[in-house]
């Protein structure tokens, strides 16, 4: 295969994945508002289009035409850099997620539905996630506003604390698979939901369940969703780090947050829920293409994100820190120990 | 060709932001420049096929060390630094560094064909920079340094907590209080 | 073609920048950052040395290469040590700021007789 055709295939993959995710991102706020409305016994947006489905378009037109304000005592360069960084780090993470197996279009095979199968895929995601911390902090710091600064400080402290348990919860799966490559991790869960790492008998179920719980909670904290949305707590910090942002810069933060939700759900799906594998390896299930199963699992997790937001109240700051350092971190460390023991036992008795 | 371009891009960024660290008047700008220097260095590590360490560099330095640094900078509420004044001692220091840099340049360029045209080592396998290769060495041949490093980290954690801890109001003349914990922590 | 010397050159320049930072700046935090810059320069040099053959490559055999340890382990250990150094260093800076309300090292001269 020549370099040119490789480049064209890669461009097609990037185009397809990017536009698909962006479409979901456009309608996710509408889905969220509709669902939250239902949870709170309201209708949610209902005016623009049937059932308010055109609401995202109306919102984006409004945001584009708003005045773009930069406060007088803001650090201008960093103020503009922060939302850009937020969006870039979020989008970059989409590049390594395995959305599906090899797909064909008009008889031509385009390879797996994944932009780049990086050898150190999971580290790549952590790397960009850790760069993403700066966007929120810079937004808070460069605004020149004390509420924003508090929001930025909170976000950096929070992400810093929960990144540890996030990383450690992933280590269990890495130990079991023995590879950082995300496509390998998906392939290791082939053949029915009982092989998914969340309930896999290869390590006697418990480390999987614990790891899944830890990863999910850390993912909530990393994406700044309720109950961990202290950086943007509107009741105490008047929206925290994005108080001073308007127009497209605000929209970029918004998009970054929803892309991060999708990325987090995708990671949980890839690591613990079998990626693009069908739940049962039998005839009617395996006929659906892999990316559909992946999308279905991601949407279930996104629903969970919204459900939790509608259900749980916000943590207090000290509760958040205590939970992260005194509960999540020791539990994650214990889980690694447990997983190692289970894997060793399973290996010894050749299960 | 692409690799050469990528090297010069990363090298230029590393140098530019490295300079930014020491000339920026605002400590926050220094810290962010340093983050960018680390990202550029990670790019160089990728070019050297040390992909595991490239991402570890970003995660550990950008994700943990520099976040902590920035956190402290914003906690301390620092103002802009005074401009650098060149006292006699500092002039000598700068002169020494310049001489050192010149010596390094002369040494590296003494025979341009030696180091500038080297191909990578022939015997290096494709796995050289992978986590597996590093882990194999780390857990067999270099097990003792690895364990010592973990002991060092534990000691550093305890040390940092003890040093940065808010002084106990009940603590008098270095004597630990025996009473109950103060409630307003 | 990028060779060993390109990396060494960059590493040397970054190291000099770090030294200049330590010599010229009076802010403790910036001095800490300059030290980090120097460690990073050392990391680049070590990684490059471990990727490219040494100057006396002619005297080494294929077996020497195969049995030589992986130089990247050093980089890994340097990362660990510098993380520990920053952790303790920042704790000291916070304590200093609490006691003297400054991070300028010229104003911290209690031990000077």
């Amino acid at each position: 295969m020549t370099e040119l055709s490789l480049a064209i295939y890669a461009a097609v993959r990037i185009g397809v994945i990017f536009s698909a995710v962006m479409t979901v991102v456009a309608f996710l706020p509408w889905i969220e508002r509709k669902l939250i409305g239902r949870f709170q016994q309201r209708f949610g947006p209902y005016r623009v289009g049937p059932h308010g489905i055109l609401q995202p378009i109306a919102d984006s037109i409004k945001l584009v035409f708003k005045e773009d304000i930069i406060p007088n005592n803001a650090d201008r360069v960093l103020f503009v850099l922060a939302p850009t960084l937020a969006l870039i780090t979020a989008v970059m993470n989409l590049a390594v997620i395995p959305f599906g197996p090899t797909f064909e279009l008009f008889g031509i095979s385009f390879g797996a539905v994944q932009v780049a199968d990086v050898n150190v895929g999971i580290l790549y995601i952590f790397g960009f996630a850790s760069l993403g911390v700066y966007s929120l902090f810079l937004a808070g710091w460069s605004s020149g506003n004390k509420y924003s600064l508090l929001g930025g400080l909170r976000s950096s402290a929070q992400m810093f604390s929960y990144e540890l348990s996030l990383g450690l919860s992933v280590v269990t799966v890495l130990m079991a698979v023995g590879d950082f490559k995300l496509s390998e991790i998906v392939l290791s869960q082939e053949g029915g939901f009982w092989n998914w790492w969340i309930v896999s008998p290869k390590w006697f179920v418990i480390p999987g369940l614990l790891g899944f719980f830890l990863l999910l909670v850390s993912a909530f904290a990393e994406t700044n969703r309720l109950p961990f949305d202290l950086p943007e707590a509107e009741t105490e910090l008047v929206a925290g780090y994005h108080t001073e942002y308007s127009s497209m810069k605000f929209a970029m933060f918004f998009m970054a947050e929803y892309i991060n939700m999708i990325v987090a759900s995708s990671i949980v799906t890839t690591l613990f829920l079998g990626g693009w594998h069908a739940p049962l390896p039998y005839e009617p299930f395996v006929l659906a293409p892999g990316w559909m199963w992946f999308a279905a699992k991601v949407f279930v997790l996104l629903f969970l994100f919204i459900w939790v937001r509608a259900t749980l109240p916000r943590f207090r700051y000290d509760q958040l820190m205590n939970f992260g350092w005194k509960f999540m971190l020791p539990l994650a460390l214990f889980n690694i120990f447990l997983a190692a023991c289970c894997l060793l036992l399973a290996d010894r008795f050749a299960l | 060709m692409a690799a050469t371009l990528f090297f010069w891009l990363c090298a230029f960024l590393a140098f530019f932001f490295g300079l930014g660290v020491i000339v920026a008047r605002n400590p926050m700008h220094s810290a962010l420049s340093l983050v960018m220097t680390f990202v550029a260095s990670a790019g160089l590590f990728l070019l050297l096929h040390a992909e595991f360490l490239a991402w570890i560099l970003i995660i550990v330095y950008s994700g943990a060390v520099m976040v902590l640094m920035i956190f402290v900078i914003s906690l301390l509420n620092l103002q802009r630094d005074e401009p650098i004044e060149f006292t006699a001692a500092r002039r000598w220091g700068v002169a020494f560094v310049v001489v050192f840099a010149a010596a390094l340049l002369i040494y590296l360029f003494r025979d341009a064909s030696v180091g500038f045209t080297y191909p990578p080592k022939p015997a290096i396998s494709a796995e050289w920079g992978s986590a597996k290769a590093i882990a194999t060495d780390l857990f067999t041949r270099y097990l003792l340094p690895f364990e010592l490093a973990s002991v060092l980290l534990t000691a550093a954690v305890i040390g940092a907590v003890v040093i940065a801890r808010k002084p106990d109001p009940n603590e008098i003349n270095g004597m630990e209080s025996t009473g109950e914990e103060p409630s307003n922590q | 073609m990028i060779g060993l010397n390109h990396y060494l050159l960059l590493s040397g320049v970054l190291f000099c920048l770090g030294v200049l930072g330590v010599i010229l700046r009076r802010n403790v935090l910036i001095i800490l950052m300059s030290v980090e810059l120097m460690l990073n320069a050392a990391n680049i040099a070590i990684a490059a040395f471990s990727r490219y053959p040494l100057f006396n490559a002619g005297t080494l055999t294929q077996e020497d290469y195969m049995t030589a340890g992986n130089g990247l382990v050093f980089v890994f250990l340097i990362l660990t040590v510098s993380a520990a150094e920053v952790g303790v260093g920042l704790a000291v800076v916070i304590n200093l700021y609490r006691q003297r309300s400054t991070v300028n090292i010229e104003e911290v001269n209690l031990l000077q007789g």
Side-chain angles (χ1 to χ4, degrees):
Chain A
M1 216 186 283
T2 63
E3 263 185 36
L4 184 68
S5 63
L6 273 178
I8 292 174
Y9 284 179
V12 169
R13 288 205 297 264
I14 292 172
V16 168
I17 291 174
F18 187 71
S19 41
V21 172
M22 277 312 178
T23 315
V24 176
V25 167
F27 286 96
L28 205 51
W30 173 73
I31 298 171
E32 176 165 16
R33 285 174 67 182
K34 269 306 215 196
L35 283 172
I36 296 266
R38 284 290 155 189
F39 284 126
Q40 297 168 351
Q41 305 197 330
R42 313 179 269 116
F43 286 111
Y46 213 87
R47 302 250 166 172
V48 198
H51 288 268
I53 192 152
L54 297 180
Q55 188 70 42
I57 298 170
D59 283 347
S60 51
I61 290 173
K62 183 192 78 176
L63 278 171
V64 169
F65 286 105
K66 277 211 163 186
E67 189 190 353
D68 194 5
I69 300 166
I70 298 184
N72 271 339
N73 54 347
D75 188 320
R76 295 185 78 90
V77 178
L78 297 183
F79 190 79
V80 177
L81 188 71
T84 324
L85 191 68
L87 195 55
I88 289 176
T89 50
V91 170
M92 285 300 272
N93 272 338
L94 293 174
V96 294
I97 291 167
F99 289 98
T102 310
F103 79 111
E104 287 188 3
L105 207 61
F106 313 121
I108 312 166
S109 169
F110 283 94
V113 195
Q114 183 181 16
V115 174
D117 196 7
V118 186
N119 274 337
V120 286
I122 197 78
L123 293 180
Y124 174 101
I125 287 177
F126 284 160
F128 275 104
S130 61
L131 288 179
V133 177
Y134 288 99
S135 65
L136 304 194
F137 181 79
L138 285 182
W141 186 79
S142 65
S143 296
N145 169 331
K146 55 180 178 275
Y147 292 119
S148 301
L149 180 64
L150 279 175
L153 273 177
R154 282 183 178 187
S155 78
S156 61
Q158 169 182 332
M159 291 175 130
F160 190 68
S161 314
Y162 281 84
E163 216 159 67
L164 292 170
S165 43
L166 183 75
L168 292 176
S169 62
V170 167
V171 165
T172 52
V173 175
L174 295 180
M175 276 196 303
V177 180
D179 208 324
F180 285 114
K181 224 180 198 172
L182 289 171
S183 60
E184 288 291 325
I185 294 174
V186 173
L187 285 177
S188 70
Q189 308 177 67
E190 208 173 357
F193 69 88
W194 50 88
N195 278 339
W196 298 355
W197 287 116
I198 180 175
V199 287
S200 174
K202 286 172 203 157
W203 54 10
F204 310 113
V205 182
I206 298 163
L209 282 174
L210 258 179
F212 176 76
F213 165 75
L214 287 165
L215 180 60
L216 202 62
V217 174
S218 314
F220 273 80
E222 285 288 302
T223 48
N224 290 321
R225 295 285 301 183
L226 268 164
F228 298 102
D229 72 336
L230 284 121
E232 42 185 307
E234 61 274 9
T235 41
E236 31 187 308
L237 292 182
V238 282
Y241 62 88
H242 53 52
T243 306
E244 302 289 354
Y245 282 89
S246 58
S247 185
M248 274 318 278
K249 295 205 195 69
F250 175 75
M252 281 160 95
F253 275 122
F254 217 66
M255 274 153 73
E257 183 179 329
Y258 281 102
I259 296 176
N260 276 333
M261 262 168 78
I262 293 176
V263 168
S265 310
S266 306
I267 295 169
V268 177
T269 306
T270 306
L271 289 173
F272 283 99
L273 299 181
W276 39 261
H277 285 301
L280 293 167
Y282 307 121
E283 190 55 20
F285 295 101
V286 292
L287 288 180
W291 59 267
M292 274 190 187
W293 284 116
F294 193 89
K297 290 170 189 173
V298 167
F299 271 106
V300 169
L301 286 170
L302 288 176
F303 177 75
L304 188 69
F305 267 92
I306 296 165
W307 187 12
V308 168
R309 177 182 161 178
T311 311
L312 292 180
R314 184 178 295 133
F315 273 122
R316 220 171 48 218
Y317 191 66
D318 59 325
Q319 292 171 332
L320 177 94
M321 283 295 145
N322 280 344
F323 186 67
W325 289 98
K326 294 183 182 165
F327 180 73
M328 296 285 284
L329 187 60
L331 191 62
L333 283 170
F334 171 73
N335 194 31
I336 290 181
F337 177 71
L338 191 69
C341 291
C342 290
L343 286 171
L344 206 63
L345 269 178
D347 196 41
R348 173 64 55 87
F349 298 112
L351 284 173
Chain B
M1 192 56 221
T4 312
L5 271 180
F6 189 67
F7 172 83
W8 286 114
L9 176 73
C10 288
F12 175 75
L13 284 178
F15 172 71
F16 179 78
F17 285 109
L19 198 63
V21 174
I22 65 168
V23 299
R25 296 267 299 279
N26 188 330
M28 187 66 84
H29 291 171
S30 285
L32 293 172
S33 297
L34 191 56
V35 173
M36 285 310 294
T37 314
F38 286 134
V39 172
S41 312
L44 291 173
F45 275 48
L46 280 183
L47 204 56
L48 286 164
H49 291 270
E51 47 188 14
F52 174 68
L53 277 176
W55 290 109
I56 288 292
L57 188 76
I58 287 189
I59 294 169
V60 171
Y61 269 124
S62 311
V65 170
M66 290 316 290
V67 171
L68 196 63
M69 191 82 94
I70 283 179
F71 201 75
V72 170
I73 291 174
S74 49
L75 270 185
L76 298 189
N77 188 25
L78 300 174
Q79 305 307 314
R80 287 165 67 83
D81 277 9
E82 298 294 309
I84 300 164
E85 22 171 331
F86 284 89
T87 58
R90 281 183 207 162
R91 284 215 189 92
W92 277 110
V94 174
F96 178 77
V97 173
V98 169
V99 168
F100 174 77
L104 183 80
L105 275 181
I106 292 167
Y107 181 73
L108 289 180
F109 280 97
R110 77 197 187 288
D111 184 357
S113 65
V114 177
F116 285 101
T117 54
Y118 266 20
K121 278 182 198 171
I124 284 175
S125 64
E127 286 231 313
W128 173 72
S130 70
K132 204 169 275 177
I134 295 172
T136 311
D137 260 15
L138 206 53
F139 290 121
T140 53
R141 182 194 283 237
Y142 299 109
L143 186 62
L144 185 65
F146 176 72
E147 294 295 340
L148 286 178
S150 55
V151 171
L152 175 76
L153 273 182
T154 317
V157 167
I158 296 169
V161 169
V162 170
I163 294 171
R165 196 176 51 118
K166 270 220 175 80
D168 191 340
N170 295 339
E171 195 176 310
I172 304 152
N173 296 333
M175 295 277 285
E176 285 291 334
S177 69
T178 49
E180 63 272 14
E181 288 289 308
S183 54
N184 56 348
Q185 287 276 313
Chain C
M1 184 70 190
I2 298 296
L4 174 64
N5 279 5
H6 291 91
Y7 289 97
L8 293 186
L9 192 62
L10 177 69
S11 159
V13 168
L14 285 182
F15 190 85
C16 288
L17 282 179
V19 176
L20 283 180
V22 173
I23 292 175
L24 295 176
R25 299 298 296 260
R26 298 297 86 191
N27 186 328
V28 179
L29 286 163
I30 302 217
I31 290 176
L32 260 180
M33 288 185 221
S34 301
V35 172
E36 290 300 306
L37 198 60
M38 287 193 267
L39 286 169
N40 186 44
N43 276 343
I44 292 175
I46 290 171
F49 269 128
S50 131
R51 178 73 184 163
Y52 289 93
L54 299 170
F55 283 101
N56 56 355
T59 61
L60 294 176
T61 62
Q62 185 84 2
E63 207 194 333
D64 289 330
Y65 282 134
M66 299 304 280
T67 53
N70 196 327
L72 296 181
V73 172
F74 255 108
V75 181
F76 190 85
L77 292 175
I78 289 179
L79 283 181
T80 326
V81 171
S82 69
E85 171 235 319
V86 169
V88 177
L90 286 179
V92 171
V93 172
I94 288 183
N95 219 345
L96 175 72
Y97 190 80
R98 247 186 228 145
Q99 315 240 341
R100 313 290 311 263
S101 299
T102 178
V103 286
N104 187 335
I105 53 166
E106 306 251 288
E107 294 169 34
V108 186
N109 49 10
L110 276 183
L111 281 180
Q112 219 170 50

